[in-house]
Amino acid sequence: MMPVCISRIATATPPHDVHAGFLDYASSMLLDQRKRALLNHMAKRSGIDHRYSFVKAERNNTQGTFNGEAFYHEGSFPATAKRMEIFETFSPQLLHSALDRLALNEEERQSIRHVIVTCCTGLFAPGLDFAAIDYLQLDPGTDRTMVGFMGCYAAINGLKLARHIVRSEPTASVLMINLELCSLHFQKTQELEKILAFLLFGDGCAVSLIRASDQGFALDNFRAYTIPEARDLIRWRVGDSGFDMDLSGKVPGEIRKTLSLKVDEINPEKNIDLWAVHPGGRSILDAVESSMELAPDTLAASRSILRRFGNMSSATVMFVLEELMRTAQSGQRGCAMSFGPGLTAETMNFHVL
């Protein structure tokens, strides 16, 4: 049979660029002037210029509101239920935008037998799987799978599952949806490390068509690397006021240390041309670059996505793959890599047809 390929990727973001507004608001929250100065210093070094959200980053100084609808109102941040209400309202809109850009023809729509959704920032049912089936007018009996709450590396697991599906049913196509509204989980806190974590994240959606094909990125193999002694460095839990993120500053060092020992496993023949590394932050990319002994421009696509969109959790690595797909040449070999709770690095090797 033909290899299982990512045939096409399309992406979309919400309408509001909120990076500068979020930084302004987060800085104003901090009572400690030294923390405020350090926050602004770290923001300048973050490698991020833009992040997008459905929540407008506009401050009304007379009322102390963060946006026109007072979603992040000083002294009264929204409960989890309100955040999920906003997710259920806006996530289908973002999904529709991405699906429009994927521009499936009738034959492609009819070939879709399975929809996979990855998400860790919002929950409702019937959910985004049904929203996609209805919007594309797919067969109501289309199979559906939710890859939930796995964090930033979920898209790699989604691709792994899609490969298994197509290999077992070669005439079937899989539609994968990676959608995150990270900005809905901003928290009121005086902990600088938490605020720095919040300022990495933006919102985005990627949709992909995976099928047996002679064109695209052929999915070769997958492997996970876990660091059990670092398991608590990334934690993501449901709280009363949104989802609570713990992201330790020790993560880049642990990634650097682990990948340095795995170079010969990940790139045994030293023939990888394309690197789609999840831009979890500038320090994460620096850690991968140094540990894998990569040339300075090797992670240009990842750094570009970080600069233009921030970290969009599970959707981000697909944004990087879409960027690489625009200029990739037949015969090139690639490696995609994402990091998340565990502490885990999920990797995927591929080649360009």
Side-chain angles (χ1 to χ4, degrees):
M1 63 174 282
M2 288 187 290
V4 181
C5 297
I6 305 173
S7 180
R8 195 153 73 250
I9 304 170
T11 58
T13 56
H16 307 301
D17 185 347
V18 298
H19 183 62
F22 264 99
L23 177 60
D24 176 55
Y25 186 77
S27 178
S28 72
M29 257 192 343
L30 287 170
L31 302 178
D32 188 320
Q33 293 287 347
R34 292 171 299 177
K35 288 183 179 180
R36 188 178 299 178
L38 184 55
L39 171 64
N40 286 283
H41 173 71
M42 295 299 291
K44 290 177 182 177
R45 292 175 50 83
S46 68
I48 301 173
D49 293 338
H50 308 280
R51 292 178 296 127
Y52 294 87
S53 174
F54 284 105
V55 180
K56 288 184 178 181
E58 295 177 354
R59 296 190 63 201
N60 183 324
N61 292 324
T62 59
Q63 298 178 9
T65 58
F66 182 41
N67 62 71
E69 297 184 11
F71 188 66
Y72 289 124
H73 184 73
E74 184 68 26
S76 181
F77 271 34
T80 301
K82 179 62 176 178
R83 298 176 196 242
M84 293 301 94
E85 178 186 322
I86 298 298
F87 183 91
E88 186 173 352
T89 298
F90 289 111
S91 60
Q93 297 180 24
L94 184 59
L95 172 60
H96 294 166
S97 296
L99 289 173
D100 288 344
R101 293 177 182 178
L102 193 61
L104 297 169
N105 60 40
E106 184 62 28
E107 181 181 353
E108 290 169 335
R109 284 201 299 272
Q110 290 182 0
S111 75
I112 295 172
R113 313 265 177 83
H114 203 116
V115 175
I116 296 172
V117 179
T118 77
C119 184
C120 69
T121 53
L123 298 168
F124 66 97
L128 292 168
D129 47 351
F130 284 93
I133 289 170
D134 292 346
Y135 190 69
L136 295 176
Q137 298 183 326
L138 304 181
D139 185 334
T142 300
D143 292 338
R144 308 174 318 281
T145 299
M146 176 72 183
V147 181
F149 225 69
M150 295 192 80
C152 297
Y153 56 64
I156 302 294
N157 283 287
L159 290 170
K160 189 187 308 181
L161 176 59
R163 182 170 178 260
H164 286 312
I165 292 169
V166 177
R167 291 178 74 181
S168 67
E169 192 178 351
T171 60
S173 297
V174 176
L175 174 69
M176 185 173 74
I177 300 163
N178 317 106
L179 190 151
E180 307 286 4
L181 300 187
C182 304
S183 66
L184 297 185
H185 298 289
F186 188 68
Q187 304 283 334
K188 176 74 173 180
T189 180
Q190 293 297 310
E191 295 181 42
L192 181 58
E193 191 169 64
K194 284 193 173 185
I195 292 181
L196 288 171
F198 294 141
L199 289 173
L200 290 173
F201 288 95
D203 302 347
C205 176
V207 291
S208 312
L209 184 67
I210 298 102
R211 57 183 175 174
S213 177
D214 58 1
Q215 292 184 323
F217 285 178
L219 309 182
D220 295 328
N221 55 72
F222 297 80
R223 184 158 185 173
Y225 299 91
T226 61
I227 313 172
E229 61 271 22
R231 185 152 291 168
D232 291 335
L233 296 187
I234 300 178
R235 294 187 294 180
W236 189 229
R237 293 186 170 94
V238 178
D240 293 334
S241 299
F243 298 173
D244 296 326
M245 163 66 77
D246 289 316
L247 180 59
S248 171
K250 297 178 181 178
V251 168
E254 291 295 332
I255 289 174
R256 180 183 290 106
K257 182 170 61 176
T258 299
L259 292 184
S260 295
L261 301 174
K262 304 295 182 181
V263 174
D264 291 337
E265 291 183 26
I266 296 172
N267 190 14
E269 298 179 14
K270 304 298 186 288
N271 63 347
I272 294 178
D273 307 294
L274 305 172
W275 290 85
V277 177
H278 167 69
R282 177 182 170 182
S283 58
I284 298 290
L285 295 178
D286 290 345
V288 175
E289 183 178 284
S290 63
S291 61
M292 300 302 295
E293 302 174 354
L294 304 177
D297 62 344
T298 305
L299 301 184
S302 295
R303 295 187 189 279
S304 174
I305 295 301
L306 180 67
R307 177 179 57 80
R308 290 152 52 202
F309 304 106
N311 180 350
M312 299 166 285
S313 194
S314 72
T316 323
V317 73
M318 302 307 298
F319 274 65
V320 179
L321 284 166
E322 181 195 31
E323 184 91 348
L324 292 174
M325 195 172 271
R326 293 192 178 102
T327 57
Q329 299 178 10
S330 178
Q332 288 184 313
R333 295 195 170 275
C335 178
M337 184 182 299
S338 291
F339 311 96
L343 177 66
T344 305
E346 292 281 354
T347 67
M348 177 190 78
N349 288 90
F350 62 94
H351 69 277
V352 184
L353 295 175

